[in-house]
Amino acid sequence: MPLVKKYLQDLAIFGNPPAFPEPLHVGRPNIGNREQFLELIDDVLDRKWLTNNGKYVREFEKAIAAITGAKHCIAVSNGTMGLELAAKAAEIKGEAIVPSFTFIATAHALQWLGITPVFADIDPETHAIDPEAVESLITPNTTAIIGVHIWGESCPVEALADVARRHGLTLIFDAAHAFACSHQGQPIGRFGEAEVFSFHATKFINSLEGGAITTDNDELARKIRLMKNFGFAGYDRVVSTGTNGKMNEISAAMGLTSLACLDEWIEINYRHYRQYRQELAGSIGIRLYPFDERERRNYQYIILEIDETASKISRDRLLEVLQAENILARRYFYPGCHKMEPYRSSGQTWHLPQTERLASRVISLPTGTALQSEDISQICQIIRLAASFEF
Ligand code: T4K
């Protein structure tokens, strides 16, 4: 580990060697027990059953249903496919209200199905979709609300459910960030009509690529199961429209291997979160996104907000300083979905002041099993140093 930098002039942005010889990425995958994974792969290859509702996919679905408490879990090829299948099976049409402050997949999944995403603003404290903003955007064409449990912190489930109920709308949650998290003591996975998880490589639990839809609704689950397999209800019998949304056996094997480490990884992420909090405490103009520790959280995202008016450094300058040190932080979710295509050129004028303000302030920092405590100390030292000088 290189020497901790003591002086601003030592920063790599001034031409010095970076603090980290190898890049420290946001989103480095958590990898479980290699031997166990390789054994499962061997078994998959020996049994010559690679996909189409195989043994490990069924085990993975069972495990997720048990963790979330949901009646049904349908494993799928990725989270985006999960959102598409859930929206299609729930017969969402016309317009669906979503936050703009989310990964582009939340909006794209709808747009892909010919549903128009309508972007609602967020609560600047929680970063979650604002139910009042949602209600103000409802039109006769609105059929659904898609809440997002951003960073794994649950969004205002009850308030959204209330709006949905009063206006007869379908409520679905994008829970891509929120596996193994809770809301009011209940595991995320049973709220709304359905919840959709991502098990992408960068997620807390990964299956290389993958996702899952959980629901207590028998009919919805039945439709999603059919639709993810081309609408097949048996050999040569297609009973609905469909697509190929199946998870394969190697992905399920990786998912099961990851699940075996769930508690250990939460512990590691939680430790990292507390260390960041402690080491960045008192840094003027810098806010670490606070998780509600009374709830179960996976602490997979370490989110900083840089208030340029109070801090001496801008968010983008800090990002440059970190990148020069090989700390590859990210501006999630800049600039907001509404400023990306095709939504930017849709002709619609969006009034999303909180989204735009937040998107210009946020940095996501590395965490997860790839990081050691010394790495975090060094990252925090660089942030403190960079934020304390005008340059
Ligand atoms: N809804 C929400 C709210 C989401 O956040 C997401 C996905 C979805 C829906 C859709 O779920 P999926 O269809 O993806 O299952 C990344 C992920 O690709 C994406 O899954 C995730 N959200 C999003 C927040 O982050 P990018 O564009 O930042 O990916 P990329 O390739 O730049 O990777 C991010 C970082 O991770 C890089 O700095 C490098 C590191 N990385 C990545 C991979 C794939 C590794 O170190 N190893 C790896 O194998 O979107």
Side-chain angles (χ1 to χ4, degrees), residues 86-88 90-98 110 113-118 134 137-146 160 163-165 167-172 193:
K88 183 84 182 165
E91 297 178 20
I92 295 174
K93 297 182 185 74
E95 296 172 3
I97 301 174
V98 295
L110 300 167
L113 297 176
I115 302 159
T116 305
V118 172
V134 169
L137 292 167
I138 293 172
T139 72
N141 294 329
T142 310
T143 63
I145 302 168
I146 317 294
L160 292 175
V163 176
R165 187 184 44 72
H167 294 271
L169 307 177
T170 301
L171 177 61
I172 285 180
E193 277 302 301

Side-chain angles (χ1 to χ4, degrees), residues 32 64 68 77 79-80 97 108 151 162 171 178 189 196 210 221 235 257-258 284 332 358 372:
I64 292 163
T68 58
S77 49
T80 310
I97 301 174
H108 273 1
W151 317 133
D162 181 51
L171 177 61
V196 180
Y235 286 141
T257 309
S258 300
I284 293 165
Y332 289 140
L358 186 65
Q372 306 301 319

Side-chain angles (χ1 to χ4, degrees), residues 25-29 79-80 103 174 176-177 198 200 202-203 330 332:
H25 287 271
V26 163
R28 266 279 181 259
T80 310
F103 189 58
D174 177 338
H177 297 181
S198 166
H200 179 259
T202 56
K203 292 295 183 288
R330 295 288 296 266
Y332 289 140

Side-chain angles (χ1 to χ4, degrees), residues 67-117:
I67 291 166
T68 58
K71 195 166 171 196
H72 304 279
C73 168
I74 302 111
V76 289
S77 49
N78 57 65
T80 310
M81 175 58 74
L83 288 168
E84 287 170 17
L85 282 163
K88 183 84 182 165
E91 297 178 20
I92 295 174
K93 297 182 185 74
E95 296 172 3
I97 301 174
V98 295
S100 172
F101 192 75
T102 178
F103 189 58
I104 193 68
T106 316
H108 273 1
L110 300 167
Q111 180 80 10
W112 195 254
L113 297 176
I115 302 159
T116 305

Side-chain angles (χ1 to χ4, degrees), residues 30 204 261-275 296-300 367-369:
N30 294 325
F204 167 60
C261 302
L262 190 145
D263 291 334
E264 184 195 331
W265 290 349
I266 288 188
E267 192 46 50
I268 290 170
N269 278 354
Y270 184 40
R271 204 182 316 134
H272 289 348
Y273 165 68
R274 279 177 305 177
Q275 189 181 347
R296 189 167 160 82
R297 297 284 171 255
N298 61 34
Y299 302 98
Q300 179 71 1
T367 187
T369 55

